[in-house]
Amino acid sequence: MTRKLSLPLIKLDTPVRVAAPASPKPSVDTVRERLGGRASTEPGMGELVALTTAAGKTLPGVILFRRGATVDVWIDTNEAGPSVPDDSKRTASPRSTTSHGVVHRAQHADIAPLRAPAPESLIAIASDARVFAALSEGQRIRFQDGGDLAEGTLVEKCRFGGLVQRDDGVLLGVGFRRLWPAQPADAKRN
């Protein structure tokens, strides 16, 4: 049995196009934007709340960011629903999202304390959010770098994570769920 190979044909009198170079590393500004922008939150990060959507549904969630009347709430859901656009960035119209873990931008009037038992997944998110809220810029931290734990310095806090400088000087964007305070040098390790 013979195999037919399909190879690209080129004309020798025309230049050959070389594959595009690998995409450049994102800039610090791009990473900062992906993490929601540099911001400091008011107290309340990690609170379990009930969010009433524009459609009148009440969903359990966790506050990730609060500033004035604006609140960003993590909703742990598989249901499709409108994603609230960020008015400050003038994004396109709301779109349908099917995801596990969606952040909704809401007004303070749209949330209330959660009275029902929270799902375990939301309790874990709330715990991670409170740990992140306790961190401060310039603090030594531990973070998940790929599959390994590493240490570095939290250079800048953003809405949903931070810019971290590794000990070798490289800056990384790390989500809030992968940042913890560094262990003191005299702490016993398991």
Side-chain angles (χ1 to χ4, degrees):
M1 178 181 234
T2 60
R3 290 181 74 189
K4 184 176 179 181
L5 299 175
S6 297
L7 299 174
L9 299 175
I10 59 170
K11 291 184 180 181
L12 295 177
D13 58 343
T14 59
V16 177
R17 294 180 69 155
V18 179
S23 61
K25 293 180 184 179
S27 69
V28 172
D29 291 333
T30 302
V31 174
R32 182 182 297 119
E33 185 177 326
R34 286 181 190 165
L35 293 170
R38 185 173 191 175
S40 59
T41 186
E42 293 173 354
M45 189 171 177
E47 287 180 15
L48 292 163
V49 295
L51 171 70
T52 303
T53 65
K57 271 187 157 178
T58 301
L59 302 170
V62 175
I63 294 176
L64 295 185
F65 180 82
R66 176 181 289 185
R67 172 69 56 200
T70 303
V71 182
D72 290 338
V73 180
W74 174 291
I75 303 298
D76 198 14
T77 181
N78 284 327
E79 298 177 31
S83 177
V84 178
D86 184 349
D87 294 330
S88 68
K89 295 184 182 175
R90 309 252 187 253
T91 59
S93 63
R95 62 190 185 280
S96 179
T97 306
T98 304
S99 178
H100 202 72
V102 178
V103 178
H104 286 267
R105 176 138 307 145
Q107 297 300 311
H108 186 68
D110 298 331
I111 62 169
L114 184 64
R115 304 279 183 226
E120 289 295 319
S121 57
L122 279 183
I123 292 171
I125 298 291
S127 175
D128 291 342
R130 285 188 297 272
V131 168
F132 178 68
L135 297 175
S136 57
E137 292 181 357
Q139 181 178 351
R140 287 289 296 170
I141 54 147
R142 294 179 78 190
F143 64 98
Q144 190 172 357
D145 187 9
D148 300 327
L149 287 180
E151 287 196 16
T153 303
L154 181 60
V155 175
E156 191 173 293
K157 284 182 79 170
C158 298
R159 284 181 190 245
F160 312 120
L163 296 176
V164 175
Q165 184 173 19
R166 291 191 320 206
D167 291 336
D168 62 1
V170 174
L171 276 175
L172 302 170
V174 182
F176 77 96
R177 297 204 70 198
R178 295 188 168 137
L179 292 168
W180 306 277
Q183 290 184 332
D186 58 348
K188 293 182 181 178
R189 296 180 187 240
N190 293 340

